[in-house]
Amino acid sequence: MICSMQVSAACTGIYVGKDASADGSIIIARSNDYRADWGNHITITPHVDNSPGRFMPVSADGEVKTEIPATTYKYTATPYMDSAHASDRPDCDAAACTNEYGVSMTMSVSAHLNNESLKADPLVEGGLAEASAADLVVCQSKTAREAVEVLLGIVDKYGNAESNIAIIADQNEVWYVELYGGHQYAAVKMPNDKVAVFGNEFSLEYLSDYEDSITSADLTKLPEENGFAVKGRNGEINLFETYAGTKINNDTAHMRTWEGHRLLEPSKYSSDYDRNAMYPLAFKPDKKVSVQDVAHILRDRYEGTPYSPDEAGRNDTRAIGSDETLSAHIIQVFSNLPSEMSCVSWISCGPPVYGVFVPVSNDCVNVSEAYGANQPANDTGVFDTGHYPYYVSKGLCTQCMGPDNYNVYGKPVQAYWNESEGYMFSSMGEVLSKAAQIPDNNHRANYLTSYCNDVQTKAFNDAKEMLNEVISNQNANNASGRSMELKLDASQYQYVPDVPADAKGLFGFLVP
């Protein structure tokens, strides 16, 4: 029952190693799906020096807390707004975090355990929850491995309330973490030349396939003593078959795993979906994977397959791109930049299927007014497209979703965002190159903040205009069958601002 209450009911996780990516960056990504209108925004929490006696929640209800170090690090996050249905809880799900040391974390992709493992090691009421984990870990970690140890140390001390998957990265390495029952876990260091795409299911099989791993003390002992251990290659325990197994596969999760493999390695996974197939966690893509490829995966609705809800009219599938996505994020980590500016989070507040990803650097000192706005709790249920990007994205999905609207409205909207994001992704690379040459840290932070805020503001204004145009066309009873013609200019995203001569950013603010 605890497992079924997890918020992230239909998420998808993605990893791209630096040797498998088109620009040499590490990429981690996740969509966060749930059937609710829980809006999110972007926050930046400042560095705190020598302030002991502070606590952060561990459990979902906030009743269980743990003390954090006296010194904590600056980090970006993407929590729910106060108006979200979850606002009666102290935690708000930081979701996608990047800190000043270049440590990034996304959690979680909920997964499912078999009855035998749950009986032997039940989930712990009041244990670590997915909504509490990311900022709690990232605020106190200088490396990915340290972050893994912090995460698993919390599980050792308080237990685990949910079965989950996390991805943690820094400039040098990436760790994939599976949290099983109340106290069992396995973390592996991911290979640089491979990728991973997975729905709400565990995928880790043999620890010996990975360069390094960290596990709970009883990971293999528990199933052996309780008679549910499944051994495979060379007598090694198969963690997937032991703790989960194909018998609990469900199509809503397994098809998303299959689709990720099909999209990135079509030479091997171009055949029809197989419910009983075991799709490996880490695999080599057919070609280098770009950040725009990852954005396309997070929007994917099984186009070109018999399972597409838009092209084939299937309403019994759960696509990766869904109108029920609360938010989605893509985090790039660059190994060749100073750690304090090494991460770029591409954030979609609301569903990206007809929404847009906008950038925020881990060196930013703030975000734009719209993307930083936190709708107050007393405005719960107010669908405010005038002030919050989340609602504009949800509104576009409402108007564009479904076979009847897909060709006329959905395709033009997606085409515009795809073109705009292509400019954003390439321009961001040039902006980072310029920023890296700025000797003064405050000046550099201002420059990156100004650029990201400018892009965020333009994207929000374009989204509002687009939503109005779609609604206007629909209200005019356009039955021509012709696709809507957007008059917005995507090429405006193709710009790299000059570095200001003084320490002021393009918006005139000044870092003290």
Side-chain angles (χ1 to χ4, degrees):
M1 184 169 65
I2 293 174
C3 205
S4 68
M5 291 169 62
Q6 289 177 227
V7 169
S8 302
C11 303
T12 302
I14 302 172
Y15 158 75
V16 180
K18 61 184 178 182
D19 294 339
S21 72
D23 62 2
S25 67
I26 291 167
I27 303 175
I28 64 175
R30 168 180 169 253
S31 62
N32 177 20
D33 293 7
Y34 193 61
R35 293 176 179 174
D37 284 335
W38 291 356
N40 70 305
H41 62 143
I42 303 173
T43 61
I44 297 176
T45 300
H47 181 108
V48 176
D49 272 321
N50 194 26
S51 180
R54 293 177 296 145
F55 292 80
M56 292 179 68
V58 171
S59 60
D61 60 9
E63 293 297 316
V64 179
K65 295 181 173 64
T66 188
E67 187 170 9
I68 58 176
T71 295
T72 51
Y73 313 128
K74 172 190 170 187
Y75 65 92
T76 68
T78 58
Y80 299 129
M81 297 188 291
D82 290 344
S83 59
H85 186 269
S87 62
D88 59 342
R89 306 188 314 192
D91 60 89
C92 291
D93 191 3
C97 291
T98 67
N99 75 14
E100 62 187 282
Y101 288 98
V103 177
S104 301
M105 177 176 175
T106 180
M107 182 172 168
S108 69
V109 177
S110 308
H112 307 288
L113 298 166
N114 58 38
N115 291 333
E116 294 84 357
S117 61
L118 277 173
K119 182 178 179 180
D121 184 28
L123 296 168
V124 177
E125 185 175 358
L128 180 68
E130 64 181 45
S132 305
D135 51 348
L136 174 58
V137 170
V138 166
C139 77
Q140 57 182 301
S141 303
K142 289 187 176 181
T143 68
R145 187 179 183 107
E146 181 183 7
V148 172
E149 291 171 348
V150 168
L151 172 66
L152 302 182
I154 293 169
V155 174
D156 287 338
K157 184 175 182 179
Y158 297 99
N160 185 40
E162 303 157 346
S163 49
N164 277 312
I165 300 168
I167 313 176
I168 302 174
D170 63 19
Q171 292 179 276
N172 300 309
E173 58 187 32
V174 180
W175 289 78
Y176 168 91
V177 185
E178 293 189 345
L179 303 176
Y180 303 120
H183 306 89
Q184 306 311 315
Y185 51 75
V188 295
K189 183 178 174 181
M190 295 293 280
N192 293 329
D193 61 345
K194 293 187 178 181
V195 299
V197 183
F198 48 90
N200 295 95
E201 56 187 7
F202 294 120
S203 302
L204 184 58
E205 295 184 276
Y206 299 105
L207 294 176
S208 60
D209 288 336
Y210 298 87
E211 176 186 341
D212 200 359
S213 63
I214 305 171
T215 69
S216 50
D218 296 330
L219 181 67
T220 59
K221 180 181 178 183
L222 179 82
E224 287 176 338
E225 290 184 346
N226 287 273
F228 65 94
V230 178
K231 296 187 178 181
R233 189 180 63 202
N234 299 324
E236 183 180 356
I237 278 188
N238 184 313
L239 293 175
F240 170 76
E241 292 292 350
T242 296
Y243 282 93
T246 55
K247 65 182 179 182
I248 66 167
N249 280 356
N250 66 79
D251 289 334
T252 60
H254 205 52
M255 284 186 74
R256 282 178 280 125
T257 302
W258 159 74
E259 179 69 345
H261 286 66
R262 187 186 75 88
L263 291 172
L264 295 185
E265 196 182 0
S267 62
K268 184 175 182 181
Y269 298 103
S270 58
S271 60
D272 199 13
Y273 164 68
D274 183 354
R275 188 177 192 276
N276 296 312
M278 179 63 201
Y279 299 105
L281 170 60
F283 61 100
K284 287 190 176 183
D286 282 352
K287 62 181 182 63
K288 300 283 188 177
V289 180
S290 70
V291 64
Q292 192 155 29
D293 292 332
V294 175
H296 288 164
I297 293 173
L298 291 173
R299 292 189 173 105
D300 182 80
R301 290 177 58 76
Y302 301 135
E303 290 90 349
T305 78
Y307 309 103
S308 170
D310 302 315
E311 298 175 346
R314 291 288 293 267
N315 59 10
D316 59 342
T317 60
R318 178 74 187 205
I320 296 172
S322 168
D323 57 338
E324 295 175 359
T325 301
L326 299 176
S327 64
H329 44 263
I330 306 167
I331 301 175
Q332 287 185 282
V333 186
F334 296 90
S335 60
N336 60 340
L337 295 174
S339 61
E340 61 271 23
M341 59 165 291
S342 62
C343 304
V344 177
S345 298
W346 297 94
I347 306 300
S348 172
C349 290
V353 61
Y354 296 115
V356 59
F357 289 96
V358 297
V360 57
S361 166
N362 65 328
D363 205 18
C364 285
V365 297
N366 59 39
V367 296
S368 65
E369 180 179 1
Y371 275 89
N374 183 8
Q375 189 178 36
N378 57 9
D379 282 349
T380 295
V382 177
F383 200 90
D384 186 350
T385 59
H387 297 92
Y388 305 102
Y390 169 82
Y391 293 113
V392 179
S393 179
K394 288 287 284 186
L396 280 167
C397 265
T398 300
Q399 305 305 131
C400 296
M401 191 65 70
D404 293 338
N405 293 324
Y406 171 67
N407 286 315
V408 178
Y409 304 106
K411 280 187 174 180
V413 169
Q414 283 188 338
Y416 178 77
W417 288 137
N418 287 339
E419 185 179 1
S420 301
E421 287 170 352
Y423 290 135
M424 286 188 224
F425 297 144
S426 61
S427 296
M428 190 72 213
E430 296 180 55
V431 168
L432 289 171
S433 296
K434 280 194 172 186
Q437 304 304 314
I438 301 174
D440 181 81
N441 289 349
N442 289 342
H443 191 178
R444 183 189 66 203
N446 279 326
Y447 176 69
L448 286 168
T449 303
S450 297
Y451 174 75
C452 291
N453 285 5
D454 195 20
V455 171
Q456 293 163 20
T457 300
K458 174 170 173 51
F460 180 50
N461 290 335
D462 280 3
K464 287 190 294 182
E465 186 173 342
M466 193 181 303
L467 177 60
N468 288 335
E469 185 168 349
V470 171
I471 294 173
S472 176
N473 273 265
Q474 291 176 333
N475 286 340
N477 296 317
N478 182 359
S480 67
R482 292 180 301 172
S483 294
M484 181 181 62
E485 295 182 5
L486 291 173
K487 300 178 179 63
L488 301 173
D489 183 6
S491 67
Q492 292 184 43
Y493 289 96
Q494 189 179 21
Y495 76 102
V496 179
D498 291 331
V499 178
D502 58 9
K504 290 185 178 180
L506 302 180
F507 288 88
F509 58 82
L510 181 67
V511 179

